[in-house]
């Protein structure tokens, strides 16, 4: 009987160790599952934040283009457009949009430079026209003064001749 009791004790101890081992195993599995769930939640949060950042970037680029259209060229504000399906990644789409926004900004810069150059050209033409007009006026004034001086000289000479004749007879 003692042998049966020892066998019973041995089996109970084995059962207790197996139950303890199973508890530890279940605890490890639970912890592993919690870690996986936390990792998935972190990945989801990270992806959601990245998508929100991308959405904000796209909105700010679109707003920049709209403001450029309105302020630089008095164009009407472009309508919001529905997105078209694409196989490109979000990063590639943003890169394309950034390139297009850069091209638009360069176009506005070129148009602004052209307008400034045209304005400067007109100002230079106006200055040249004013200078030519001033030169012409100065030349006309010089001629008028020369004619007035010549007239005064002729009148003076005529007066002198008249006085010579008048006083020639008296002396």
């Amino acid at each position: 009987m003692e042998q049966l009791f020892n066998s019973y004790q041995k089996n109970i101890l084995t059962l207790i160790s197996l139950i303890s081992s199973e508890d530890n195993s279940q605890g490890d599995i639970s912890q592993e599952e919690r870690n996986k769930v936390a990792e998935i939640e972190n990945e989801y949060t990270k992806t959601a934040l990245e998508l929100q950042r991308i959405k904000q970037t796209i909105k700010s680029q679109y707003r920049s283009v709209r403001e450029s259209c309105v302020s630089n060229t008095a164009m009407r504000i472009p309508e919001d457009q529905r997105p078209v399906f694409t196989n490109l990644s979000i990063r590639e789409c943003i890169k394309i949009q950034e390139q297009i926004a850069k091209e638009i900004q360069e176009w506005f810069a070129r148009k602004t430079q052209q307008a400034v150059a045209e304005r400067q050209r007109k100002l230079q033409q106006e200055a040249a026209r004013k200078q030519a007009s001033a030169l012409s006026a100065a030349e006309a004034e010089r001629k008028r003064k020369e004619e007035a001086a010549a007239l005064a000289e002729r009148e003076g000479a005529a007066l002198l001749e008249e006085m010579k004749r008048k006083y020639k007879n008296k002396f």
Side-chain angles (χ1 to χ4, degrees):
M1 190 127 269
E2 204 174 299
Q3 188 181 8
L4 283 175
F5 183 72
N6 285 339
S7 175
Y8 172 75
Q9 269 186 333
K10 188 178 177 185
N11 286 337
I12 291 287
L13 288 174
T14 305
L15 185 60
I16 290 173
S17 74
L18 287 175
I19 289 174
S20 175
S21 148
E22 185 180 352
D23 283 346
N24 289 339
S25 176
Q26 285 296 327
D28 291 346
I29 290 172
S30 297
Q31 185 62 41
E32 209 173 290
E33 287 175 353
R34 284 192 297 272
N35 288 344
K36 284 183 181 180
V37 168
E39 187 179 315
I40 291 170
E41 285 176 348
N42 287 340
E43 187 67 29
Y44 172 78
T45 304
K46 190 174 162 184
T47 303
L49 287 174
E50 185 177 357
L51 286 174
Q52 199 160 15
R53 184 186 57 79
I54 289 168
K55 183 179 177 183
Q56 189 63 33
T57 300
I58 290 171
K59 278 185 177 181
S60 68
Q61 288 174 348
Y62 184 73
R63 188 177 320 113
S64 171
V65 169
R66 286 175 60 135
E67 289 170 359
S68 293
C69 288
V70 171
S71 67
N72 290 334
T73 61
M75 295 171 70
R76 67 179 182 84
I77 296 175
E79 301 296 324
D80 288 338
Q81 296 181 1
R82 293 195 165 274
V84 178
F85 177 77
T86 180
N87 289 329
L88 300 175
S89 71
I90 290 176
R91 295 195 191 288
E92 291 171 337
C93 291
I94 289 176
K95 186 176 180 181
I96 290 169
Q97 189 174 11
E98 287 173 345
Q99 288 172 345
I100 291 171
K102 184 178 179 183
E103 289 173 11
I104 291 171
Q105 289 172 344
E106 288 172 354
W107 181 83
F108 281 134
R110 276 195 313 275
K111 290 298 180 183
T112 302
Q113 287 174 349
Q114 288 173 354
V116 167
E118 181 66 23
R119 178 72 178 146
Q120 286 178 345
R121 186 183 61 77
K122 284 183 180 181
L123 288 174
Q124 287 173 348
Q125 286 176 344
E126 181 68 22
R129 188 184 58 76
K130 284 181 180 179
Q131 187 177 12
S133 175
L135 284 174
S136 174
E139 183 65 25
E141 180 66 21
R142 186 186 61 77
K143 282 184 180 181
R144 187 189 64 73
K145 283 182 180 179
E146 284 179 0
E147 288 173 359
L151 179 64
E153 191 177 317
R154 282 193 306 267
E155 285 177 354
L159 181 63
L160 182 63
E161 287 299 318
E162 184 181 328
M163 287 179 90
K164 279 183 184 179
R165 269 184 278 139
K166 184 177 178 182
Y167 289 112
K168 183 178 181 185
N169 294 337
K170 288 190 179 185
F171 293 111

